Amino acid sequence: MRRARALAVALTAALLHGAGPARASEAAAGATAQAVGWATAQAAELTRQAGARAAAGEADVALTRYLEAVRFDATYGPAYLGLGALYERAGDLREAERTYTVGLDHVRGFVEGHRARAALRAREGRRGEAIADLEAAVALRGDDAGLLQELAAAYVAAGALPAALGVARRLTALAAQAGDSALAGSARTQARALSVLVGEADPVRAGGRDRGPVRGALAAHAAAPARGQTGSLRREGR
């Protein structure tokens, strides 16, 4: 309601002062941006209040604040994360998952939403769905070392060792590019261990020098993976 009112006022003022269509359009765009900014600021403040209330043990008040925040700005990701976590602490996992899913429907590039839903699904033993969420998160933020580590661990837990090997190699290359020697060393060690476990199922290692053009291409990709290509992670481990 307030957003529509601000837009109407801006248009009326522009037209009364003799502005042409272009000027009126610019005024309307400015008013819309101002209204959106105000709504987001309100959502952020309500989310902050909700977090403080939740920490104080006032779950009912926190719930109200989070819901108000979402009503002010349906694209404010932290409100969904806080609300979902509140439901999880209350033991209502179904509502928590629904909250994360609604957030993913409304917030563009909601990496943390995928991450939160993946953690919830993993705790319920739904490994395939958890992995799908982590893959979606990595597709959005392919250079996040923490996400890659979570995805590798999820693959290992699911017994998808070739896929885990692909992620470990990707992480090794990214860590080396970033100059993080500790992470690169750790990822390299993990990759070697997984390679031994995978054995001949590893297309990069198998066949030695005679591995052929396909395995050679996979080896090159593993050494310098493209950002965000999660779909190739499973393929390079097969």
Side-chain angles (χ1 to χ4, degrees):
M1 180 65 73
R2 298 191 183 191
R3 186 182 303 179
R5 188 177 301 155
L7 181 59
V9 169
L11 281 170
T12 301
L15 292 171
L16 284 175
H17 286 82
R23 183 70 60 81
S25 178
E26 290 175 6
T32 299
Q34 184 177 10
V36 170
W38 177 83
T40 300
Q42 290 295 110
E45 174 57 22
L46 286 164
T47 298
R48 185 196 66 76
Q49 293 176 16
R53 295 292 188 176
E58 301 175 32
D60 289 343
V61 179
L63 176 63
T64 300
R65 294 288 189 275
Y66 280 129
L67 292 174
E68 288 175 351
V70 170
R71 280 194 286 270
F72 268 105
D73 186 352
T75 66
Y76 190 65
Y80 292 103
L81 295 176
L83 181 57
L86 190 67
Y87 283 130
E88 286 196 60
R89 286 196 294 273
D92 193 345
L93 300 186
R94 171 180 267 182
E95 194 61 27
E97 182 172 359
R98 191 190 73 82
T99 298
Y100 297 137
T101 300
V102 172
L104 286 164
D105 288 340
H106 287 81
V107 184
R108 173 180 282 183
F110 196 17
V111 171
E112 296 308 321
H114 280 297
R115 211 169 189 170
R117 193 171 68 176
L120 185 154
R121 288 173 165 177
R123 284 194 294 274
E124 292 192 314
R126 296 153 61 191
R127 289 175 177 171
E129 292 172 277
I131 286 174
D133 263 321
L134 289 174
E135 287 177 334
V138 171
L140 291 167
R141 193 188 295 164
D143 57 356
D144 188 317
L147 269 176
L148 288 171
Q149 288 173 314
E150 289 177 39
L151 180 56
Y155 280 145
V156 170
L161 299 186
L165 175 56
V167 179
R169 285 181 172 141
R170 176 183 176 77
L171 184 59
T172 300
L174 289 173
Q177 291 168 9
D180 189 337
S181 57
L183 179 58
S186 174
R188 191 177 298 112
T189 299
Q190 182 183 36
R192 287 172 180 165
L194 285 167
S195 183
V196 170
L197 290 172
V198 170
E200 286 300 307
D202 175 8
V204 176
R205 180 173 175 269
R209 294 181 181 178
D210 300 323
R211 57 193 172 197
V214 175
R215 287 174 176 169
L218 287 170
H221 178 77
R227 177 179 299 182
Q229 298 297 315
T230 52
S232 65
L233 294 179
R234 293 191 178 194
R235 289 194 296 274
E236 71 181 34
R238 290 179 181 174

